Amino acid sequence: MEVYLDNAATTKPCAEAVAAAVVAMTEKYGNPSSLHRAGLNAQLLVDDARKAIASAIGADSDNIYFTSGATESNNLALRGASAAYGRKRKKIVISAVEHASVEETAADLGAKGFEIVRVSPREDGRYYAADFVSACDDDTCLISMMYVNNETGYILPVKETFSAVKRKYPDIITHTDCVQAFMKLPVRANAFCADLISLSGHKIHGGKGVGALYIKKGVRVLPVITGGKQEKGIRSGTESVPMIAAFGAAVKKLSPTITERYEKVSGLKAYLLDKLSGIEGVTVNSPEDGSPYVVNISAVGKRSEIMLHFLESREIYVSSGSACSKGQQSGVLGQFGIKDNRADSALRVSMTAETTEEELDIFCKALREGMEKVRG
């Protein structure tokens, strides 16, 4: 029996998303930029998905721009906003636990003349809005803070931070990477005081290769990809209609049940933690009040990669961290005070509402066996 517990890396597309993609590929396969009826039919699919995603975050459809994925959305947000507002204001503030697509983009902008300030958690392992406000000044053009950390499930204080920053520095552009939060926790653009929001399709049972960037009306973002004037010139290139349609279908399915699914996964997390408490040598790295969808643990004394492959031999799939890091430690765990042997033995278990207690039982049984058999 396959046990898939790596949903923070990617999710299985839902039936509705697959069906929408098939229709777009086999029936409405025109280029949405074409002026004939086949093009219009494809454009209507894009418009419908745009409207569904906008509605889910309380925005107008004109504010949603499709990209190839959240990595491109994050790049577009940071590079596009810094290009628009960074001629005189040369500081960018980010959290020290961002996804690589934000961290490495910020580092590249730093090499090009921007001052990059990374805010770390306090000694208690928590973030506070005041620390981000203190890091900003009149020279700051952009602040970027993810909503849910992809490695630990830690929920960052986006709403409190952005509202505090906007009160003191109303001209600072605010960006949040909501990839691990969208369709799992409520994400509302106005409530967050967010100017830019990055979203992904394949994290919510849509397809890979599609993302979106919310851009608040009046906020300037200069394009990174130019050429065909698609997406109102913000992101040129023929739209991937099948993946966009799948994205919209997944949002339509999941949007009405965010609270219900959150409660179910919270129960699964509690069940998992209870099971793990009986396994000697296993410690939990995720905070109690983090997103229940992501649970980071350490099989202390057993290297992550070795334990991962032991579990894989039993058709149990977890990860050792962010899938984008290709198994390399990102440094995020260290920021949360998880270091040395605990970091070297970290495993990320990520669930959906379709995860079952039986699957968690199988995982815990195999993990216990691995603690006994695997050599560090």
Side-chain angles (χ1 to χ4, degrees):
M1 176 180 174
E2 178 181 292
V3 175
Y4 184 78
L5 297 171
D6 197 17
N7 292 281
T10 197
T11 55
K12 180 180 178 180
C14 63
E16 291 83 352
V18 172
V22 169
V23 168
M25 285 189 285
T26 60
E27 298 177 24
K28 300 182 180 181
Y29 48 82
N31 187 320
S33 295
S34 296
L35 299 181
H36 47 61
R37 179 167 296 179
L40 175 61
N41 288 338
Q43 183 62 55
L44 290 174
L45 292 183
V46 174
D47 293 343
D48 185 63
R50 199 189 310 274
K51 186 181 299 183
I53 294 164
S55 176
I57 63 171
D60 293 329
S61 58
D62 287 344
N63 301 135
I64 302 299
Y65 297 81
F66 288 114
T67 67
S68 65
T71 289
E72 185 187 337
S73 294
N74 285 339
N75 270 260
L76 177 58
L78 269 66
R79 296 184 192 277
S82 63
Y85 297 96
R87 181 167 296 181
K88 295 182 178 180
R89 292 183 285 149
K90 306 294 288 187
K91 180 186 284 189
I92 296 172
V93 175
I94 67 173
S95 86
V97 299
E98 293 297 314
H99 186 271
S101 58
V102 169
E103 166 57 38
E104 293 184 18
T105 301
D108 183 59
L109 291 170
K112 294 176 179 175
F114 285 86
E115 177 189 359
I116 309 300
V117 177
R118 296 170 176 83
V119 179
S120 296
R122 294 186 187 178
E123 289 185 1
D124 61 1
R126 306 189 73 82
Y127 270 110
Y128 294 86
D131 296 338
F132 286 90
V133 177
S134 297
C136 295
D137 58 25
D138 291 328
D139 193 40
T140 306
C141 65
L142 174 71
I143 179 172
S144 182
M145 172 194 279
M146 66 184 355
Y147 188 20
V148 173
N149 180 258
N150 54 301
E151 295 189 41
T152 66
Y154 182 89
I155 300 174
L156 282 75
V158 170
K159 180 180 178 180
E160 297 84 352
T161 299
F162 286 1
S163 60
V165 166
K166 286 288 191 181
R167 281 196 299 271
K168 190 169 184 180
Y169 304 104
D171 292 333
I172 291 178
I173 301 302
T174 54
H175 167 251
T176 178
D177 174 350
C178 283
V179 167
Q180 296 295 344
F182 186 51
M183 293 293 103
K184 300 177 178 70
L185 285 76
V187 173
R188 308 297 286 181
N190 289 339
F192 281 8
C193 296
D195 295 316
L196 306 168
I197 300 175
S198 297
L199 306 171
S200 173
H202 76 105
K203 308 290 189 178
I204 64 161
H205 305 281
K208 299 174 186 65
V210 65
L213 181 66
Y214 159 83
I215 304 177
K216 185 178 179 179
K217 184 178 180 180
V219 172
R220 292 176 59 223
V221 173
L222 299 186
V224 174
I225 297 174
T226 56
K229 304 300 182 183
Q230 291 89 349
E231 299 300 295
K232 292 185 284 188
I234 296 296
R235 199 283 184 182
S236 294
T238 302
E239 298 92 340
S240 177
V241 180
M243 292 301 97
I244 289 172
F247 194 1
V251 169
K252 288 181 183 179
K253 178 181 181 180
L254 297 179
S255 191
T257 60
I258 290 176
T259 300
E260 176 186 332
R261 287 181 292 105
Y262 187 92
E263 291 174 354
K264 181 177 180 182
V265 179
S266 294
L268 290 170
K269 177 182 177 180
Y271 183 84
L272 174 62
L273 294 181
D274 181 62
K275 289 285 184 178
L276 292 173
S277 66
I279 304 176
E280 185 176 353
V282 173
T283 61
V284 178
N285 300 321
S286 292
E288 290 185 13
D289 58 353
S291 168
Y293 288 85
V294 178
V295 179
N296 193 292
I297 65 174
S298 287
V300 180
K302 314 296 180 183
R303 286 180 55 204
S304 302
E305 185 176 356
I306 297 175
M307 182 62 82
L308 185 152
H309 290 304
F310 174 82
L311 294 170
E312 179 191 22
S313 70
R314 284 151 176 77
E315 295 189 278
I316 300 168
Y317 303 112
V318 298
S319 71
S320 57
S322 171
C324 296
S325 66
K326 296 288 187 181
Q328 298 179 4
Q329 285 190 25
S330 67
V332 166
L333 294 182
Q335 288 289 330
F336 286 116
I338 303 159
K339 301 178 180 179
D340 303 325
N341 287 341
R342 280 180 66 191
D344 291 338
S345 59
L347 297 171
R348 182 183 66 179
V349 178
S350 45
M351 301 175 284
T352 73
E354 284 70 48
T355 302
T356 66
E357 291 183 355
E358 180 187 6
E359 290 175 318
L360 298 179
D361 287 339
I362 293 170
F363 163 70
C364 289
K365 180 180 179 181
L367 182 64
R368 184 189 299 274
E369 184 182 355
M371 292 298 292
E372 297 171 355
K373 292 184 177 180
V374 170
R375 295 186 178 181

